[in-house]
């Protein structure tokens, strides 16, 4: 598997549970625990959540299945996948879009993961003890605006990601994801219990689950769509790349459903841990990217064994981020290796260096360069917005068009017959969605969000 021959002997996941663990490991990450609560807060709560859930079911799930199919059929990186399946056509540029999105996403993702590492240290040194909500908020602001420490942790995280990718798909990814993700889930449930029993918790649950659709803007709807892609790791070829490592005996439809349900469930559980606490401690729900880091220390402070739980939580959040970041880096590395003929280790190092440099600027845009903005956004927010709200939906649009219009029913049936037994009715529904519903909805939301219609 570490062969540097081109074309390399490709990796195959060793077991069904390995496939599931790796794909779920990619999907579950900072998107669920950091980004979902923060943007739900920014866009007004329940209405955003419901639109997001609609996009997950209607667009996310079918596109996830599409990506798995493209990957498994082509056994190739994103760019090569389209090149193999649609030779001499422009489809391969969809792959290039994916490589660009991966580069951008990992650059700011590494920054947030770095924050999580810093919060492990803060937890170990008991830095949250007897601080007021205001003090905890300014502690975060001071940290993220400082020029050195966040960059240091971001680079540390990128080094960890690089090391795991160099070790390789099977040994690196499967082993960690299988054991650690269930523990993270348990801790979130413990946090949920503490959060909903706080005084004033009800208001938070109301905010999260009682929709007021009049509060929803077209920007909010586009962000819900973008986040559906971001959270499920869709639209840039992560799951095409992972699909290329999946054996023919695997049931792709079942895996897609399991990953989608698990990912969504964890995001909602994270929301249930955050919003009751946001209201109980008088924090602004629309506080932005710091929301989780400002809110949770208050909760840890108010629970028995708080230090223990907070250390464990931030360690596992970092691990969840790692199982996602390796999947993002793998997109770029697989492209470098298979298309540009760069050896695996060198490809990994090059991609890491490139992404880390962009990441340093994302981190500095929180403090040193915070006055430098474009469309009112600093570099961090801009890279996040462009990649999640533009590149991923566009990638998803092309992927669904590719499967729906270019591939056609016969090849879809053939691919789905391997390992799964979907009824004809379900296959017809799937084709209808990828042909019309998903591309139509993405196009409308996208153009509307940009103010073009
Ligand atoms: N889905 C990951 C998360 O929620 C992030 C990610 C985005 C991973 C895009 C791969 C591709 O944290």
């Amino acid at each position: 598997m570490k062969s540097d021959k081109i074309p390399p002997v490709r990796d195959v996941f060793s077991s069904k549970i390995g496939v599931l663990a790796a794909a779920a490991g990619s999907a579950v990450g900072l998107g669920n625990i950091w980004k979902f609560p923060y943007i739900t807060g920014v866009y007004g709560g329940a209405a955003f959540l419901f639109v997001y859930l609609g996009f997950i079911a209607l667009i996310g799930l079918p596109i996830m299945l599409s990506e798995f199919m493209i990957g498994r059929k082509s056994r190739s990186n994103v760019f090569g996948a389209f090149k193999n399946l649609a030779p001499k056509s422009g489809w391969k540029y969809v792959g290039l879009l994916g490589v660009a999105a991966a580069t951008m996403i990992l650059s700011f993702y590494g920054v947030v993961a770095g924050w999580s590492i810093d919060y492990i240290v803060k937890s170990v040194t008991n830095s949250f003890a007897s601080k007021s909500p205001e003090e905890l908020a300014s502690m975060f602001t001071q940290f993220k605006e400082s020029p050195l420490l966040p960059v240091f942790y971001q680079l540390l995280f990128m080094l960890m990601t690089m090391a795991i990718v160099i070790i390789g798909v099977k040994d690196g990814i499967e082993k960690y994801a299988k054991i650690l993700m269930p523990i993270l889930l348990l801790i979130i449930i413990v946090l949920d219990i503490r959060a909903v029993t706080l005084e004033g918790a009800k208001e938070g649950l109301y905010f999260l689950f009682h929709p007021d659709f009049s509060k929803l803007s077209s920007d909010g709807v586009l962000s819900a769509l973008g986040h559906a892609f971001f959270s499920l790791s869709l639209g840039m070829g992560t799951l095409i790349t992972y699909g290329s490592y999946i054996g023919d005996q695997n049931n792709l439809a079942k895996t897609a459903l399991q990953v989608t349900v698990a990912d969504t469930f964890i995001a909602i559980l994270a929301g249930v841990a955050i919003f009751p606490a946001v209201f109980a401690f008088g924090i602004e729900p629309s506080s932005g990217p710091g929301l989780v880091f400002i809110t949770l220390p208050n909760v840890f402070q108010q629970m028995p064994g708080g230090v223990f739980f907070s250390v464990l939580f931030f360690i596992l959040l970092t691990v969840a981020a790692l199982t996602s970041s390796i999947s993002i880096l793998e997109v770029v590395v697989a492209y470098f290796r298979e298309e540009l003929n760069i050896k695996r280790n060198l490809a990994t190092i090059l991609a890491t260096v490139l992404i880390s440099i962009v990441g340093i600027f994302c981190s500095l845009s929180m403090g040193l360069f915070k006055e430098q903005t474009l469309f009112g956004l600093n570099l961090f927010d801009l890279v996040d917005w462009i990649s999640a709200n533009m590149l991923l939906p566009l990638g998803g649009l092309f992927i669904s068009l590719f499967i729906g219009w270019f591939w056609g029913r016969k090849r879809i049936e053939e691919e789905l017959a391997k390992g799964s037994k979907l009824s004809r009715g379900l296959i017809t529904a799937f084709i209808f969605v990828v042909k019309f519903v998903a591309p139509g909805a993405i196009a409308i939301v996208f153009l509307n969000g940009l103010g073009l219609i």
Side-chain angles (χ1 to χ4, degrees):
M1 68 167 295
K2 267 176 255 161
S3 159
D4 281 319
K5 272 186 234 108
I6 308 286
V9 181
R10 292 188 63 83
D11 308 327
V12 175
F13 283 122
S14 58
S15 65
K16 289 189 182 172
I17 186 84
V19 170
L20 185 63
S26 168
V28 176
L30 296 171
N32 308 61
I33 295 159
W34 159 72
K35 196 171 173 191
F36 168 74
Y38 122 56
I39 57 175
T40 302
V42 168
Y43 291 109
F48 177 86
L49 168 67
F50 286 123
V51 173
Y52 167 70
L53 292 178
F55 286 147
I56 290 274
L58 202 65
I59 299 177
L61 180 60
I63 291 187
M64 185 179 295
L65 181 56
S66 305
E67 287 207 19
F68 279 154
M69 289 200 295
I70 294 173
R72 183 166 76 179
K73 183 74 194 170
S74 66
R75 298 242 169 271
S76 185
N77 67 84
V78 233
F79 187 78
F82 287 102
K83 219 170 60 178
N84 285 355
L85 300 178
K88 300 203 183 64
S89 72
W91 284 107
K92 56 179 181 289
Y93 297 111
V94 177
L96 226 45
L97 201 71
V99 176
T103 308
M104 290 172 77
I105 289 180
L106 191 49
S107 67
F108 73 86
Y109 205 84
V111 174
V112 182
W115 296 348
S116 178
I117 300 180
D118 179 74
Y119 270 61
I120 302 175
V121 178
K122 284 194 170 50
S123 304
V124 171
T125 52
N126 201 8
S127 313
F128 311 138
S130 57
K131 291 222 164 51
S132 67
E134 292 73 31
E135 284 170 322
L136 288 170
S138 67
M139 179 167 163
F140 175 75
T141 310
Q142 249 173 31
F143 162 69
K144 81 162 182 193
E145 291 189 354
S146 60
L148 288 181
L149 215 51
V151 172
F152 170 76
Y153 285 126
Q154 175 231 342
L155 294 179
L156 180 65
F157 179 81
M158 292 303 299
L159 269 180
M160 285 158 44
T161 304
M162 183 179 92
I164 297 177
V165 172
I166 286 182
I167 294 167
V169 171
K170 276 189 204 149
D171 325 350
I173 302 172
E174 290 179 31
K175 201 166 63 192
Y176 300 104
K178 265 192 288 205
I179 317 163
L180 296 170
M181 288 306 103
I183 308 181
L184 177 63
L185 182 63
L186 275 182
I187 298 200
I188 297 176
I189 293 174
V190 172
L191 279 172
D192 283 341
I193 296 172
R194 176 63 277 216
V196 297
T197 50
L198 286 167
E199 204 172 320
K202 268 210 199 88
E203 223 182 311
L205 293 174
Y206 190 84
F207 179 83
L208 186 59
F209 293 120
H210 191 92
D212 172 0
F213 286 99
S214 66
K215 277 204 244 156
L216 208 61
S217 59
S218 53
D219 187 30
V221 176
L222 176 58
S223 293
L225 178 69
H227 189 63
F229 281 104
F230 185 89
S231 191
L232 294 176
S233 304
L234 297 177
M236 57 174 236
T238 307
L239 297 185
I240 292 180
T241 309
Y242 271 19
S244 75
Y245 307 129
I246 298 181
D248 278 346
Q249 75 288 4
N250 278 280
N251 183 335
L252 296 182
K254 191 167 147 200
T255 306
L257 184 66
Q258 286 168 329
V259 173
T260 304
V261 169
D263 186 75
T264 309
F265 186 60
I266 294 189
I268 294 177
L269 286 181
V272 171
I274 304 283
F275 286 106
V278 163
F279 283 86
F281 296 109
I283 296 163
E284 198 44 61
S286 59
S287 302
L291 187 71
V292 174
F293 294 93
I294 294 168
T295 308
L296 286 184
N298 288 290
V299 182
F300 290 124
Q301 239 185 41
Q302 305 254 331
M303 60 195 269
V307 173
F308 169 78
F309 280 114
S310 76
V311 174
L312 207 57
F313 174 82
F314 285 112
I315 290 179
L316 293 174
L317 181 60
T318 307
V319 174
L322 266 177
T323 57
S324 301
S325 63
I326 46 187
S327 77
I328 308 175
L329 187 59
E330 185 71 27
V331 171
V332 186
V333 171
Y335 169 73
F336 278 9
R337 269 167 77 198
E338 294 177 0
E339 302 305 319
L340 308 181
N341 290 0
I342 303 175
K343 290 192 166 134
R344 181 179 182 99
N345 290 0
L346 183 62
T348 311
I349 294 169
L350 277 180
T352 307
V353 169
L354 173 75
I355 291 167
S356 302
I357 292 174
V358 185
I360 292 176
F361 286 99
C362 286
S363 179
L364 294 178
S365 77
M366 291 282 169
L368 216 53
F369 300 140
K370 73 175 168 199
E371 308 303 334
Q372 269 74 42
T373 58
L374 196 63
F375 308 118
L377 301 174
N378 63 23
L379 186 69
F380 178 101
D381 292 329
L382 193 69
V383 170
D384 180 353
W385 200 92
I386 293 177
S387 51
N389 292 4
M390 290 183 77
L391 300 185
L392 299 186
L394 274 183
L397 175 74
F398 289 125
I399 288 166
S400 63
L401 290 175
F402 181 80
I403 287 286
W405 294 92
F406 181 83
W407 249 35
R409 178 163 195 122
K410 202 170 143 276
R411 272 186 281 190
I412 293 177
E413 277 177 352
E414 251 169 46
E415 195 54 40
L416 286 178
K418 296 178 194 159
S420 30
K421 293 184 280 297
L422 282 190
S423 67
R424 287 191 68 80
L426 267 180
I427 294 183
T428 306
F430 169 72
I431 293 174
F432 181 72
V433 170
V434 287
K435 241 179 146 154
F436 303 107
V437 181
I442 296 170
I444 293 171
V445 172
F446 188 66
L447 294 174
N448 186 255
L450 295 184
L452 298 175
I453 51 170

